[in-house]
Amino acid sequence: HLYFYGQKYHPVSDYETTLVTQLSLDRLRTFHMLISQWDGPISISMYGTDFDMWQFSQYVESYNILKNRKNMAIHIVYKQGNFYPVNYLRNIALNAVSTPYVFLDDGDFIPAKSLFSYLKKATKSLLTGSQKR
């Protein structure tokens, strides 16, 4: 696979969660909504042909929010055969995670805008034993 976009993310908190998912070009709308909704770190595996990846690169270059993201990694896996290798794609994305927790997304699920913040607070509360009463 190829490392397409991003840089090594260094978590600012011990309670951060990385969203991990895999997509193909036919889910580009999902990709757009996903990165708009999730403020935290993201690791994505993109699956497709050479032409799909060229289209994706054109999209990424024209999409301004990516220029400001310092917490996202996109990995390219080129299509081989007739089967969609969901486990392989997920594992590629998982290997790039640098936070202690992950939120596995199936590629069609769009999280609520507040989910990253909620998970960070909930994780901290569970691990430190502090709860609001």
Side-chain angles (χ1 to χ4, degrees):
H1 84 278
L2 299 174
Y3 186 64
F4 174 72
Y5 175 87
Q7 54 191 342
K8 186 70 174 170
Y9 176 69
H10 302 287
V12 295
S13 161
D14 291 338
Y15 310 109
E16 287 190 30
T17 300
T18 298
L19 187 141
V20 173
T21 194
Q22 38 69 37
L23 302 167
S24 56
L25 191 66
D26 63 335
R27 299 288 190 259
L28 198 54
R29 182 177 165 93
T30 301
F31 171 79
H32 180 91
M33 292 169 42
L34 178 71
I35 63 174
S36 297
Q37 290 290 101
W38 185 267
D39 295 328
I42 301 173
S43 183
I44 298 175
S45 290
M46 287 294 297
Y47 185 68
T49 64
D50 285 339
F51 184 69
D52 291 339
M53 294 309 126
W54 177 81
Q55 286 180 299
F56 180 68
S57 70
Q58 297 302 303
Y59 175 80
V60 166
E61 288 178 17
S62 67
Y63 188 42
N64 289 333
I65 196 169
L66 291 179
K67 294 177 184 170
N68 297 325
R69 291 235 33 171
K70 304 290 187 217
N71 61 351
M72 184 166 64
I74 301 173
H75 306 272
I76 301 300
V77 178
Y78 286 100
K79 185 175 180 178
Q80 294 179 335
N82 295 323
F83 298 103
Y84 187 87
V86 65
N87 292 332
Y88 179 71
L89 295 168
R90 181 198 60 236
N91 290 339
I92 293 288
L94 274 170
N95 284 334
V97 171
S98 58
T99 61
Y101 307 101
V102 297
F103 179 77
L104 290 176
D105 180 48
D106 75 353
D108 290 321
F109 176 77
I110 306 299
K113 181 76 171 155
S114 60
L115 185 58
F116 173 69
S117 175
Y118 173 80
L119 286 174
K120 192 158 63 167
K121 289 177 188 172
T123 302
K124 183 176 182 179
S125 176
L126 287 169
L127 293 175
T128 62
S130 63
Q131 297 179 356
K132 291 183 180 179
R133 299 200 191 268

